[in-house]
Amino acid sequence: AGNPNCGKTTLFNELTGSNGYVGNWPGVTVEKKQATWRVDKNVTFVDLPGIYSLSPYSPEETVSRDYIVNERPDAIINLLDVTNLERNLYLTTQVLEAGRPVVVGLNMIDLLKERGDVIDTKVLSEKLGVPVIEVSALHNTNVTELVKAAIEAGKKDVPAQGPKCFSPEVETALTKIAGLIADVAPAALSRWYSIKVFERDASADKSAQLEEIISAVEKSRDDDAESIITSDRYEWIATVMAAAVKKAPKKLTRSEKIDRIVTNRILGLPIFIAVMTLVYFLAISTVGT
């Protein structure tokens, strides 16, 4: 699972030789890819559609969410484009709440190194609570290690817990909701359904009590429940980025270097006069004649 253009198809083809089954998900014109691992035919990969979240805003998101939550795969490889890590981590926070073992693959790590940025995978792994492995699907770097980590996670069958990425007020509300829906929500999906009920993306009995909890937070934060969850996710992601990512000093482009000189407060005007004098000279005394 991963965002569009994060390298999922490249990874899928590298692992399977792209000789898998390709069709459509039942009732939806969204492509379904499934194939076995070239190294071990007992391992089957399902390439979910590229999505930005597990909220049902598009057929692709609906398909991915239904597969993860209802089909209960043995393990999820969440592939991230490290050159757009902050955006990619939004989906990761949701995948970690879906009650399945998860391994995170940081793809395009070669491009990140070219840029000079550094990601502390140990810190990122601690923050997410799951194994994090640097890979390059294009250059087949650490791909086997990623799959072996996913197989190991699947055999252990220890679901990812999902990070506590919301404000204390929201976390308290989620705990109350989890208590109210405990008799209908599977234990592994308690947090998932609590968040969905809070977002009003799922319904349950005791709706009056649930609505009272949700409305109290909305009133306190002066915002709707779904926006509160989204905002808290991004605030938490910002803290993760600050702790785990070290940006390289920004390098000036050639154009920016030129601009620093020709638009300089002191040098700009003399350069302008010199250029105009040169243009006048060329036009009148040389080429212009």
Short mmCIF file of all heavy atoms in Angstrom, two decimals, residues 16-73:
data_model
loop_
_atom_site.label_atom_id
_atom_site.label_comp_id
_atom_site.label_asym_id
_atom_site.label_seq_id
_atom_site.Cartn_x
_atom_site.Cartn_y
_atom_site.Cartn_z
N THR A 16 7.83 -9.90 -8.39
CA THR A 16 7.02 -10.96 -9.00
C THR A 16 7.37 -11.24 -10.46
O THR A 16 6.91 -12.25 -11.00
CB THR A 16 5.53 -10.57 -8.94
OG1 THR A 16 5.32 -9.39 -9.75
CG2 THR A 16 5.10 -10.28 -7.51
N GLY A 17 8.14 -10.35 -11.08
CA GLY A 17 8.38 -10.51 -12.51
C GLY A 17 7.20 -10.06 -13.34
O GLY A 17 7.13 -10.32 -14.54
N SER A 18 6.25 -9.41 -12.69
CA SER A 18 5.03 -8.86 -13.32
C SER A 18 4.25 -9.90 -14.11
O SER A 18 3.60 -9.60 -15.12
CB SER A 18 5.38 -7.66 -14.23
OG SER A 18 6.13 -8.06 -15.36
N ASN A 19 4.31 -11.15 -13.68
CA ASN A 19 3.57 -12.22 -14.37
C ASN A 19 2.32 -12.61 -13.59
O ASN A 19 1.87 -13.75 -13.66
CB ASN A 19 4.47 -13.46 -14.55
CG ASN A 19 5.62 -13.18 -15.51
OD1 ASN A 19 5.43 -12.53 -16.53
ND2 ASN A 19 6.80 -13.67 -15.17
N GLY A 20 1.80 -11.68 -12.85
CA GLY A 20 0.67 -12.01 -11.98
C GLY A 20 -0.67 -11.82 -12.63
O GLY A 20 -0.80 -11.47 -13.80
N TYR A 21 -1.70 -12.07 -11.82
CA TYR A 21 -3.08 -11.90 -12.26
C TYR A 21 -3.45 -10.42 -12.25
O TYR A 21 -3.23 -9.72 -11.27
CB TYR A 21 -4.01 -12.66 -11.32
CG TYR A 21 -5.47 -12.31 -11.47
CD1 TYR A 21 -6.24 -12.81 -12.53
CD2 TYR A 21 -6.09 -11.45 -10.57
CE1 TYR A 21 -7.57 -12.46 -12.66
CE2 TYR A 21 -7.43 -11.10 -10.69
CZ TYR A 21 -8.17 -11.62 -11.74
OH TYR A 21 -9.48 -11.28 -11.88
N VAL A 22 -3.99 -9.93 -13.35
CA VAL A 22 -4.44 -8.55 -13.44
C VAL A 22 -5.91 -8.55 -13.86
O VAL A 22 -6.28 -9.15 -14.87
CB VAL A 22 -3.62 -7.73 -14.45
CG1 VAL A 22 -4.15 -6.30 -14.54
CG2 VAL A 22 -2.15 -7.71 -14.05
N GLY A 23 -6.74 -7.90 -13.07
CA GLY A 23 -8.16 -7.80 -13.39
C GLY A 23 -8.75 -6.60 -12.69
O GLY A 23 -8.04 -5.65 -12.39
N ASN A 24 -10.03 -6.63 -12.43
CA ASN A 24 -10.68 -5.56 -11.69
C ASN A 24 -11.22 -6.08 -10.36
O ASN A 24 -11.58 -7.26 -10.24
CB ASN A 24 -11.84 -4.96 -12.49
CG ASN A 24 -11.35 -4.09 -13.63
OD1 ASN A 24 -10.23 -3.61 -13.61
ND2 ASN A 24 -12.18 -3.91 -14.64
N TRP A 25 -11.25 -5.21 -9.36
CA TRP A 25 -11.88 -5.58 -8.09
C TRP A 25 -13.37 -5.78 -8.34
O TRP A 25 -13.97 -5.11 -9.20
CB TRP A 25 -11.67 -4.48 -7.06
CG TRP A 25 -10.23 -4.31 -6.69
CD1 TRP A 25 -9.31 -3.52 -7.30
CD2 TRP A 25 -9.53 -4.97 -5.63
NE1 TRP A 25 -8.08 -3.64 -6.69
CE2 TRP A 25 -8.19 -4.52 -5.65
CE3 TRP A 25 -9.91 -5.89 -4.64
CZ2 TRP A 25 -7.23 -4.95 -4.75
CZ3 TRP A 25 -8.96 -6.31 -3.73
CH2 TRP A 25 -7.63 -5.86 -3.79
N PRO A 26 -14.00 -6.70 -7.63
CA PRO A 26 -15.43 -6.99 -7.84
C PRO A 26 -16.29 -5.74 -7.79
O PRO A 26 -16.28 -5.01 -6.80
CB PRO A 26 -15.76 -7.94 -6.69
CG PRO A 26 -14.46 -8.59 -6.33
CD PRO A 26 -13.42 -7.52 -6.56
N GLY A 27 -17.01 -5.49 -8.87
CA GLY A 27 -17.95 -4.38 -8.92
C GLY A 27 -17.34 -3.01 -9.08
O GLY A 27 -18.06 -2.01 -9.10
N VAL A 28 -16.02 -2.93 -9.22
CA VAL A 28 -15.35 -1.63 -9.33
C VAL A 28 -14.34 -1.68 -10.47
O VAL A 28 -13.58 -2.64 -10.59
CB VAL A 28 -14.61 -1.26 -8.02
CG1 VAL A 28 -14.06 0.16 -8.12
CG2 VAL A 28 -15.53 -1.38 -6.82
N THR A 29 -14.33 -0.65 -11.30
CA THR A 29 -13.37 -0.61 -12.41
C THR A 29 -12.03 -0.07 -11.93
O THR A 29 -11.52 0.94 -12.43
CB THR A 29 -13.92 0.27 -13.56
OG1 THR A 29 -14.24 1.56 -13.03
CG2 THR A 29 -15.12 -0.36 -14.20
N VAL A 30 -11.49 -0.72 -10.93
CA VAL A 30 -10.17 -0.38 -10.39
C VAL A 30 -9.29 -1.61 -10.55
O VAL A 30 -9.68 -2.71 -10.16
CB VAL A 30 -10.26 0.03 -8.90
CG1 VAL A 30 -8.86 0.27 -8.33
CG2 VAL A 30 -11.11 1.28 -8.74
N GLU A 31 -8.10 -1.41 -11.11
CA GLU A 31 -7.24 -2.55 -11.44
C GLU A 31 -6.76 -3.29 -10.19
O GLU A 31 -6.35 -2.67 -9.21
CB GLU A 31 -6.03 -2.07 -12.24
CG GLU A 31 -5.23 -3.21 -12.86
CD GLU A 31 -4.11 -2.70 -13.75
OE1 GLU A 31 -3.09 -2.26 -13.19
OE2 GLU A 31 -4.26 -2.75 -14.99
N LYS A 32 -6.81 -4.60 -10.25
CA LYS A 32 -6.33 -5.45 -9.16
C LYS A 32 -5.14 -6.27 -9.66
O LYS A 32 -5.23 -6.97 -10.67
CB LYS A 32 -7.44 -6.40 -8.70
CG LYS A 32 -7.01 -7.39 -7.62
CD LYS A 32 -8.16 -8.30 -7.24
CE LYS A 32 -7.76 -9.25 -6.11
NZ LYS A 32 -8.87 -10.14 -5.72
N LYS A 33 -3.99 -6.15 -8.96
CA LYS A 33 -2.80 -6.91 -9.32
C LYS A 33 -2.46 -7.88 -8.20
O LYS A 33 -2.41 -7.50 -7.03
CB LYS A 33 -1.62 -5.97 -9.55
CG LYS A 33 -1.77 -5.04 -10.74
CD LYS A 33 -0.55 -4.15 -10.88
CE LYS A 33 -0.70 -3.17 -12.03
NZ LYS A 33 0.46 -2.26 -12.13
N GLN A 34 -2.21 -9.11 -8.58
CA GLN A 34 -1.87 -10.13 -7.60
C GLN A 34 -0.89 -11.11 -8.22
O GLN A 34 -1.07 -11.53 -9.37
CB GLN A 34 -3.13 -10.86 -7.15
CG GLN A 34 -2.92 -11.89 -6.05
CD GLN A 34 -4.24 -12.41 -5.51
OE1 GLN A 34 -5.18 -11.64 -5.31
NE2 GLN A 34 -4.32 -13.71 -5.29
N ALA A 35 0.17 -11.46 -7.50
CA ALA A 35 1.16 -12.38 -8.04
C ALA A 35 1.99 -12.97 -6.90
O ALA A 35 2.04 -12.41 -5.79
CB ALA A 35 2.08 -11.67 -9.04
N THR A 36 2.66 -14.08 -7.19
CA THR A 36 3.51 -14.72 -6.19
C THR A 36 4.94 -14.22 -6.30
O THR A 36 5.36 -13.72 -7.35
CB THR A 36 3.50 -16.26 -6.36
OG1 THR A 36 3.89 -16.57 -7.71
CG2 THR A 36 2.12 -16.82 -6.07
N TRP A 37 5.67 -14.36 -5.23
CA TRP A 37 7.07 -13.94 -5.17
C TRP A 37 7.92 -14.87 -6.01
O TRP A 37 7.75 -16.10 -5.98
CB TRP A 37 7.53 -13.97 -3.71
CG TRP A 37 8.85 -13.32 -3.43
CD1 TRP A 37 9.53 -12.46 -4.24
CD2 TRP A 37 9.64 -13.47 -2.25
NE1 TRP A 37 10.69 -12.05 -3.65
CE2 TRP A 37 10.79 -12.66 -2.43
CE3 TRP A 37 9.50 -14.20 -1.08
CZ2 TRP A 37 11.80 -12.57 -1.46
CZ3 TRP A 37 10.48 -14.11 -0.11
CH2 TRP A 37 11.62 -13.30 -0.29
N ARG A 38 8.86 -14.32 -6.76
CA ARG A 38 9.74 -15.14 -7.58
C ARG A 38 10.60 -16.08 -6.74
O ARG A 38 10.96 -17.17 -7.16
CB ARG A 38 10.65 -14.25 -8.43
CG ARG A 38 9.93 -13.57 -9.58
CD ARG A 38 10.88 -12.96 -10.56
NE ARG A 38 11.52 -11.75 -10.04
CZ ARG A 38 12.21 -10.92 -10.81
NH1 ARG A 38 12.36 -11.16 -12.09
NH2 ARG A 38 12.76 -9.83 -10.30
N VAL A 39 10.92 -15.64 -5.52
CA VAL A 39 11.80 -16.42 -4.64
C VAL A 39 11.04 -17.54 -3.94
O VAL A 39 11.59 -18.62 -3.69
CB VAL A 39 12.47 -15.50 -3.60
CG1 VAL A 39 13.34 -16.28 -2.63
CG2 VAL A 39 13.29 -14.42 -4.31
N ASP A 40 9.78 -17.31 -3.59
CA ASP A 40 8.99 -18.27 -2.83
C ASP A 40 7.53 -18.17 -3.27
O ASP A 40 6.85 -17.18 -2.98
CB ASP A 40 9.12 -17.97 -1.33
CG ASP A 40 8.39 -18.99 -0.45
OD1 ASP A 40 7.65 -19.83 -1.00
OD2 ASP A 40 8.56 -18.93 0.79
N LYS A 41 7.05 -19.20 -3.95
CA LYS A 41 5.69 -19.18 -4.51
C LYS A 41 4.61 -19.24 -3.43
O LYS A 41 3.43 -19.05 -3.71
CB LYS A 41 5.50 -20.36 -5.48
CG LYS A 41 6.43 -20.31 -6.68
CD LYS A 41 6.23 -19.05 -7.51
CE LYS A 41 7.16 -19.02 -8.72
NZ LYS A 41 7.03 -17.75 -9.49
N ASN A 42 5.01 -19.48 -2.16
CA ASN A 42 4.04 -19.48 -1.07
C ASN A 42 3.70 -18.07 -0.60
O ASN A 42 2.81 -17.88 0.22
CB ASN A 42 4.58 -20.29 0.12
CG ASN A 42 4.69 -21.77 -0.21
OD1 ASN A 42 3.76 -22.34 -0.76
ND2 ASN A 42 5.82 -22.37 0.12
N VAL A 43 4.45 -17.10 -1.11
CA VAL A 43 4.22 -15.70 -0.73
C VAL A 43 3.50 -15.00 -1.88
O VAL A 43 4.00 -14.96 -3.01
CB VAL A 43 5.55 -14.98 -0.42
CG1 VAL A 43 5.29 -13.52 -0.07
CG2 VAL A 43 6.29 -15.68 0.71
N THR A 44 2.33 -14.44 -1.59
CA THR A 44 1.54 -13.75 -2.61
C THR A 44 1.44 -12.27 -2.27
O THR A 44 1.16 -11.90 -1.14
CB THR A 44 0.12 -14.34 -2.69
OG1 THR A 44 0.21 -15.72 -3.02
CG2 THR A 44 -0.71 -13.62 -3.75
N PHE A 45 1.67 -11.44 -3.28
CA PHE A 45 1.57 -10.00 -3.11
C PHE A 45 0.30 -9.48 -3.79
O PHE A 45 -0.05 -9.92 -4.88
CB PHE A 45 2.77 -9.28 -3.75
CG PHE A 45 4.09 -9.60 -3.10
CD1 PHE A 45 4.96 -10.52 -3.67
CD2 PHE A 45 4.45 -8.99 -1.90
CE1 PHE A 45 6.17 -10.81 -3.07
CE2 PHE A 45 5.65 -9.29 -1.30
CZ PHE A 45 6.52 -10.20 -1.88
N VAL A 46 -0.36 -8.55 -3.14
CA VAL A 46 -1.49 -7.83 -3.73
C VAL A 46 -1.10 -6.36 -3.79
O VAL A 46 -0.80 -5.75 -2.76
CB VAL A 46 -2.78 -8.01 -2.90
CG1 VAL A 46 -3.90 -7.16 -3.50
CG2 VAL A 46 -3.18 -9.47 -2.85
N ASP A 47 -1.06 -5.81 -4.99
CA ASP A 47 -0.68 -4.41 -5.18
C ASP A 47 -1.95 -3.56 -5.12
O ASP A 47 -2.73 -3.51 -6.07
CB ASP A 47 0.01 -4.25 -6.54
CG ASP A 47 0.49 -2.84 -6.79
OD1 ASP A 47 0.54 -2.05 -5.82
OD2 ASP A 47 0.82 -2.51 -7.95
N LEU A 48 -2.15 -2.89 -4.00
CA LEU A 48 -3.35 -2.05 -3.85
C LEU A 48 -3.21 -0.78 -4.68
O LEU A 48 -2.10 -0.33 -4.96
CB LEU A 48 -3.56 -1.69 -2.37
CG LEU A 48 -3.89 -2.86 -1.44
CD1 LEU A 48 -4.03 -2.36 0.00
CD2 LEU A 48 -5.17 -3.56 -1.86
N PRO A 49 -4.33 -0.18 -5.07
CA PRO A 49 -4.27 1.07 -5.86
C PRO A 49 -3.53 2.17 -5.10
O PRO A 49 -3.57 2.20 -3.86
CB PRO A 49 -5.75 1.45 -6.05
CG PRO A 49 -6.51 0.19 -5.81
CD PRO A 49 -5.73 -0.62 -4.83
N GLY A 50 -2.87 3.05 -5.82
CA GLY A 50 -2.21 4.18 -5.19
C GLY A 50 -3.23 5.13 -4.58
O GLY A 50 -4.15 5.59 -5.27
N ILE A 51 -3.09 5.42 -3.30
CA ILE A 51 -4.07 6.25 -2.59
C ILE A 51 -3.35 7.21 -1.65
O ILE A 51 -2.19 7.01 -1.31
CB ILE A 51 -5.05 5.38 -1.77
CG1 ILE A 51 -4.27 4.43 -0.84
CG2 ILE A 51 -5.99 4.61 -2.67
CD1 ILE A 51 -5.11 3.65 0.12
N TYR A 52 -4.05 8.26 -1.24
CA TYR A 52 -3.50 9.22 -0.29
C TYR A 52 -4.03 9.01 1.13
O TYR A 52 -3.45 9.52 2.08
CB TYR A 52 -3.80 10.65 -0.75
CG TYR A 52 -3.08 11.04 -2.01
CD1 TYR A 52 -3.76 11.18 -3.21
CD2 TYR A 52 -1.70 11.25 -2.01
CE1 TYR A 52 -3.09 11.52 -4.39
CE2 TYR A 52 -1.01 11.60 -3.17
CZ TYR A 52 -1.72 11.73 -4.35
OH TYR A 52 -1.04 12.05 -5.51
N SER A 53 -5.14 8.29 1.26
CA SER A 53 -5.69 8.03 2.58
C SER A 53 -6.60 6.82 2.50
O SER A 53 -6.88 6.29 1.42
CB SER A 53 -6.48 9.24 3.10
OG SER A 53 -7.76 9.30 2.47
N LEU A 54 -7.08 6.37 3.67
CA LEU A 54 -8.03 5.26 3.72
C LEU A 54 -9.44 5.76 3.99
O LEU A 54 -10.30 5.02 4.47
CB LEU A 54 -7.61 4.26 4.81
CG LEU A 54 -6.35 3.43 4.50
CD1 LEU A 54 -6.00 2.53 5.67
CD2 LEU A 54 -6.52 2.61 3.23
N SER A 55 -9.69 7.02 3.67
CA SER A 55 -11.04 7.57 3.76
C SER A 55 -11.73 7.29 2.42
O SER A 55 -11.10 7.39 1.37
CB SER A 55 -11.00 9.08 4.02
OG SER A 55 -10.34 9.35 5.25
N PRO A 56 -13.00 6.93 2.45
CA PRO A 56 -13.67 6.48 1.21
C PRO A 56 -14.11 7.63 0.30
O PRO A 56 -15.29 7.81 0.05
CB PRO A 56 -14.88 5.70 1.75
CG PRO A 56 -15.22 6.40 3.02
CD PRO A 56 -13.92 6.88 3.61
N TYR A 57 -13.13 8.40 -0.20
CA TYR A 57 -13.47 9.51 -1.08
C TYR A 57 -13.42 9.12 -2.56
O TYR A 57 -13.87 9.86 -3.41
CB TYR A 57 -12.52 10.69 -0.84
CG TYR A 57 -12.62 11.27 0.55
CD1 TYR A 57 -11.48 11.49 1.31
CD2 TYR A 57 -13.85 11.59 1.11
CE1 TYR A 57 -11.56 12.03 2.59
CE2 TYR A 57 -13.94 12.13 2.38
CZ TYR A 57 -12.79 12.34 3.12
OH TYR A 57 -12.88 12.86 4.39
N SER A 58 -12.81 7.99 -2.87
CA SER A 58 -12.69 7.54 -4.26
C SER A 58 -12.82 6.03 -4.29
O SER A 58 -12.64 5.36 -3.26
CB SER A 58 -11.33 7.97 -4.83
OG SER A 58 -10.28 7.25 -4.20
N PRO A 59 -13.10 5.45 -5.46
CA PRO A 59 -13.18 3.98 -5.56
C PRO A 59 -11.88 3.30 -5.14
O PRO A 59 -11.91 2.24 -4.50
CB PRO A 59 -13.47 3.74 -7.05
CG PRO A 59 -14.12 5.00 -7.52
CD PRO A 59 -13.49 6.10 -6.73
N GLU A 60 -10.74 3.93 -5.47
CA GLU A 60 -9.45 3.35 -5.10
C GLU A 60 -9.29 3.27 -3.58
O GLU A 60 -8.82 2.26 -3.03
CB GLU A 60 -8.31 4.19 -5.70
CG GLU A 60 -8.14 4.07 -7.19
CD GLU A 60 -9.13 4.94 -7.97
OE1 GLU A 60 -9.86 5.75 -7.33
OE2 GLU A 60 -9.21 4.79 -9.20
N GLU A 61 -9.66 4.35 -2.90
CA GLU A 61 -9.55 4.37 -1.44
C GLU A 61 -10.52 3.38 -0.80
O GLU A 61 -10.17 2.72 0.19
CB GLU A 61 -9.80 5.80 -0.92
CG GLU A 61 -8.68 6.76 -1.27
CD GLU A 61 -8.99 8.20 -0.91
OE1 GLU A 61 -10.18 8.54 -0.78
OE2 GLU A 61 -8.04 8.98 -0.77
N THR A 62 -11.71 3.27 -1.35
CA THR A 62 -12.69 2.32 -0.83
C THR A 62 -12.19 0.89 -0.98
O THR A 62 -12.28 0.08 -0.05
CB THR A 62 -14.04 2.48 -1.56
OG1 THR A 62 -14.51 3.83 -1.39
CG2 THR A 62 -15.07 1.51 -1.02
N VAL A 63 -11.65 0.57 -2.16
CA VAL A 63 -11.12 -0.77 -2.43
C VAL A 63 -9.99 -1.11 -1.46
O VAL A 63 -9.95 -2.19 -0.86
CB VAL A 63 -10.62 -0.87 -3.89
CG1 VAL A 63 -9.64 -2.02 -4.05
CG2 VAL A 63 -11.78 -1.03 -4.85
N SER A 64 -9.05 -0.17 -1.29
CA SER A 64 -7.90 -0.41 -0.42
C SER A 64 -8.33 -0.59 1.03
O SER A 64 -7.86 -1.48 1.73
CB SER A 64 -6.91 0.75 -0.53
OG SER A 64 -6.39 0.85 -1.84
N ARG A 65 -9.25 0.26 1.47
CA ARG A 65 -9.72 0.18 2.86
C ARG A 65 -10.45 -1.13 3.10
O ARG A 65 -10.21 -1.82 4.10
CB ARG A 65 -10.62 1.36 3.19
CG ARG A 65 -11.06 1.34 4.65
CD ARG A 65 -11.69 2.63 5.06
NE ARG A 65 -13.13 2.62 4.87
CZ ARG A 65 -13.95 3.47 5.47
NH1 ARG A 65 -13.46 4.40 6.28
NH2 ARG A 65 -15.25 3.42 5.24
N ASP A 66 -11.35 -1.51 2.20
CA ASP A 66 -12.11 -2.74 2.36
C ASP A 66 -11.19 -3.96 2.38
O ASP A 66 -11.40 -4.89 3.15
CB ASP A 66 -13.14 -2.89 1.23
CG ASP A 66 -14.30 -1.91 1.38
OD1 ASP A 66 -14.41 -1.29 2.45
OD2 ASP A 66 -15.08 -1.76 0.42
N TYR A 67 -10.15 -3.93 1.54
CA TYR A 67 -9.24 -5.08 1.49
C TYR A 67 -8.46 -5.21 2.80
O TYR A 67 -8.36 -6.29 3.37
CB TYR A 67 -8.27 -4.95 0.32
CG TYR A 67 -7.36 -6.17 0.19
CD1 TYR A 67 -7.80 -7.32 -0.46
CD2 TYR A 67 -6.09 -6.18 0.76
CE1 TYR A 67 -7.01 -8.44 -0.56
CE2 TYR A 67 -5.28 -7.30 0.67
CZ TYR A 67 -5.75 -8.43 0.02
OH TYR A 67 -4.96 -9.54 -0.06
N ILE A 68 -7.92 -4.09 3.28
CA ILE A 68 -7.10 -4.13 4.49
C ILE A 68 -7.94 -4.48 5.72
O ILE A 68 -7.56 -5.32 6.54
CB ILE A 68 -6.39 -2.78 4.71
CG1 ILE A 68 -5.31 -2.58 3.63
CG2 ILE A 68 -5.75 -2.71 6.08
CD1 ILE A 68 -4.66 -1.21 3.64
N VAL A 69 -9.10 -3.86 5.84
CA VAL A 69 -9.92 -4.04 7.04
C VAL A 69 -10.71 -5.35 7.02
O VAL A 69 -10.82 -6.03 8.04
CB VAL A 69 -10.89 -2.84 7.20
CG1 VAL A 69 -11.84 -3.07 8.37
CG2 VAL A 69 -10.10 -1.56 7.42
N ASN A 70 -11.23 -5.72 5.85
CA ASN A 70 -12.11 -6.89 5.78
C ASN A 70 -11.40 -8.18 5.39
O ASN A 70 -11.71 -9.25 5.91
CB ASN A 70 -13.26 -6.63 4.80
CG ASN A 70 -14.13 -5.46 5.23
OD1 ASN A 70 -14.30 -5.21 6.42
ND2 ASN A 70 -14.68 -4.74 4.26
N GLU A 71 -10.44 -8.09 4.46
CA GLU A 71 -9.73 -9.29 4.01
C GLU A 71 -8.60 -9.69 4.95
O GLU A 71 -8.12 -10.82 4.91
CB GLU A 71 -9.16 -9.07 2.60
CG GLU A 71 -10.22 -8.80 1.53
CD GLU A 71 -11.16 -9.98 1.35
OE1 GLU A 71 -10.71 -11.13 1.48
OE2 GLU A 71 -12.35 -9.74 1.09
N ARG A 72 -8.14 -8.77 5.80
CA ARG A 72 -7.14 -9.06 6.82
C ARG A 72 -5.89 -9.73 6.25
O ARG A 72 -5.60 -10.89 6.54
CB ARG A 72 -7.71 -9.93 7.94
CG ARG A 72 -9.09 -9.55 8.44
CD ARG A 72 -9.17 -8.15 8.93
NE ARG A 72 -8.44 -7.94 10.16
CZ ARG A 72 -7.89 -6.79 10.50
NH1 ARG A 72 -7.95 -5.76 9.69
NH2 ARG A 72 -7.25 -6.66 11.62
N PRO A 73 -5.11 -9.05 5.40
CA PRO A 73 -3.88 -9.64 4.86
C PRO A 73 -2.92 -9.99 5.99
O PRO A 73 -2.98 -9.41 7.07
CB PRO A 73 -3.31 -8.52 3.98
CG PRO A 73 -3.91 -7.27 4.52
CD PRO A 73 -5.28 -7.64 4.98
#
